[in-house]
Amino acid sequence: MTFSTTDMINNITGSRRLRRNRMTPWARAMVRENTVTPDDLILPLFIIDGKSEEEAIEAMPGVSRRSVDKAVELTRHAASLGIPAVAPFPNVDLAKRDQAGSAILDPDNLICRYVKAVKDAGIDIGIITDSALDPFTDHGHDGVLRDGVIVNDESVEQIVKASILQAQAGADIIAPSDMMDGRIGAIRQALDAEGFSDTAIMSYTAKYASGFYGPYREAIGTDQTLKGDKATYYIDPANSEDAMREAEMDIAEGADSLMVKPGMPYLDIIWRMKSTFGMPVFAYQVSGEYSMIEAAAANGWLDGERAMMESIVAFKRAGADGILSYFAIRVAEKLHSS
């Protein structure tokens, strides 16, 4: 008896053809497991002093530092696209930086000015502020430097004070990225004591000692000031259990949501954290991830828009509830136009 190729395939697969659900755009849409919407996006942006100022960031094509007024304009646009939240990061004048990051406690610093300006403008969008010290220190580290060591408890004291100041300015979520031990519990206790019990905490729970932060450091001006590396307080890229222990501690101390940073190299951590704890988990698609896609696209090595969308949906597939991404505006605009 002679069998055709079709007969042989049917004999193997039992007439099951998985391709039937992939044959047309409508069929693919009907069975799609994960869908990205503007609600999934958080826009990080960079703030500088001045008026009507906008500075291109060389290492991040398409991303700029903006003075507060210009940043408010961008924030209004983000809100109009349905992006639910923004995360501002300052580039502080070098003359205002010191060993303890003291300028973070100035009520008129760039973060506080931006938060107040957005609130005064009546823009309906959440503001997520970082109370880590690195944009304000003259050594580029996330905490206070003493005798070559980032001292944990003194750093936490400074970070707690900064968190209160940001909440007073109107921040909706405090997101400390410093990775100091005990800072989530200390911030929660202080917020509650100061009457900010409704102010949430998004912990940078699993922030890895990564090589993907370079363009961000250029954006906030710590690329030339950073002394040494951050491996003594960020997580080793080889470790997974360490991230789980950090998550357990942060949840016990009162974190409302967790973050994994960077994003794509740590999709397994996002998946494991979400499935283990059932907490809201966010991914930060960091500057290096953004710049790699942009550089490859500029050289014609890949389809930049397609890679952008594929990377965002990968975070959703891994279990992320939301994604901080420098692509946020472009992704939201694409979603609205499709």
Side-chain angles (χ1 to χ4, degrees), residues 198-261:
D198 290 334
T199 302
I201 299 175
M202 177 188 290
S203 174
Y204 283 65
T205 292
K207 187 174 184 182
Y208 280 85
S210 171
F212 287 91
Y213 300 140
Y216 169 86
R217 289 173 181 160
E218 177 185 322
I220 66 167
T222 62
D223 54 327
Q224 296 180 358
T225 62
L226 181 60
K227 297 175 174 64
D229 63 32
K230 304 189 179 187
T232 65
Y233 49 103
Y234 287 5
I235 299 176
D236 189 318
N239 293 348
S240 174
E241 295 297 336
D242 208 359
M244 297 303 108
R245 288 190 289 270
E246 289 281 357
E248 288 175 353
M249 286 181 61
D250 288 352
I251 294 167
E253 291 177 20
D256 299 286
S257 58
L258 312 174
M259 189 197 299
V260 176
K261 182 180 181 180

Side-chain angles (χ1 to χ4, degrees), residues 1-2 23 31 79 89 98 101 122 126 133-134 137 143 150 152-153 168 173 178 203 228 235 246 254 288 310 317 335:
M1 182 180 295
T2 302
M23 298 302 292
V31 300
F89 298 95
D98 62 20
L133 306 183
D134 51 320
T137 60
I150 303 302
N152 192 92
D153 295 358
Q168 290 170 341
I173 299 175
D178 52 279
S203 174
I235 299 176
E246 289 281 357
E310 186 177 343
R317 192 184 67 246
L335 292 171

Side-chain angles (χ1 to χ4, degrees), residues 279-293:
M279 290 277 291
V281 175
F282 293 83
Y284 199 139
Q285 184 179 42
V286 300
S287 59
E289 300 173 66
Y290 170 87
S291 295
M292 284 194 306
I293 292 174

Side-chain angles (χ1 to χ4, degrees), residues 41-304:
L41 304 169
I42 297 168
L43 174 67
L45 45 82
F46 298 105
I47 315 295
I48 54 173
D49 277 311
K51 182 79 172 176
S52 299
E53 296 288 337
E54 189 168 338
E55 300 174 350
I57 301 168
E58 185 177 356
M60 300 179 71
V63 178
S64 297
R65 306 178 193 91
R66 290 174 168 84
S67 54
V68 169
D69 57 319
K70 285 283 190 178
V72 170
E73 290 178 11
L74 182 64
T75 303
R76 191 184 302 278
H77 180 50
S80 74
L81 293 169
I83 293 172
V86 293
F89 298 95
N91 185 309
V92 178
D93 190 299
L94 291 175
K96 296 180 180 179
R97 304 186 194 193
D98 62 20
Q99 195 174 37
S102 303
I104 200 171
L105 302 184
D106 179 357
D108 196 41
N109 67 38
L110 280 169
I111 295 176
C112 293
R113 266 189 280 152
Y114 165 78
V115 173
K116 291 173 183 175
V118 172
K119 296 298 180 179
D120 288 346
I123 302 172
D124 186 17
I125 198 166
I127 306 178
I128 304 169
T129 57
D130 184 359
S131 50
L133 306 183
D134 51 320
F136 299 90
T137 60
D138 57 10
H139 46 76
H141 281 282
D142 299 37
V144 177
L145 183 67
R146 298 284 183 221
D147 299 322
V149 176
I150 303 302
V151 290
N152 192 92
D153 295 358
E154 188 176 345
S155 297
V156 170
E157 288 181 17
Q158 196 85 322
I159 289 159
V160 167
K161 292 175 184 176
S163 298
I164 296 300
L165 199 66
Q166 291 170 6
Q168 290 170 341
D172 300 289
I173 299 175
I174 305 299
S177 69
D178 52 279
M179 294 296 290
M180 297 296 117
D181 290 334
R183 92 274 200 209
I184 299 301
I187 292 170
R188 182 71 275 158
Q189 290 179 27
L191 288 172
D192 292 350
E194 293 292 327
F196 295 104
S197 58
D198 290 334
T199 302
I201 299 175
M202 177 188 290
S203 174
Y204 283 65
T205 292
K207 187 174 184 182
Y208 280 85
S210 171
F212 287 91
Y213 300 140
Y216 169 86
R217 289 173 181 160
E218 177 185 322
I220 66 167
T222 62
D223 54 327
Q224 296 180 358
T225 62
L226 181 60
K227 297 175 174 64
D229 63 32
K230 304 189 179 187
T232 65
Y233 49 103
Y234 287 5
I235 299 176
D236 189 318
N239 293 348
S240 174
E241 295 297 336
D242 208 359
M244 297 303 108
R245 288 190 289 270
E246 289 281 357
E248 288 175 353
M249 286 181 61
D250 288 352
I251 294 167
E253 291 177 20
D256 299 286
S257 58
L258 312 174
M259 189 197 299
V260 176
K261 182 180 181 180
M264 289 193 71
Y266 299 94
L267 292 176
D268 60 317
I269 306 301
I270 297 169
W271 172 261
R272 188 173 176 194
M273 201 169 284
K274 182 65 178 179
S275 59
T276 300
F277 301 108
M279 290 277 291
V281 175
F282 293 83
Y284 199 139
Q285 184 179 42
V286 300
S287 59
E289 300 173 66
Y290 170 87
S291 295
M292 284 194 306
I293 292 174
E294 286 295 282
N299 279 283
W301 296 336
L302 52 73
D303 181 332

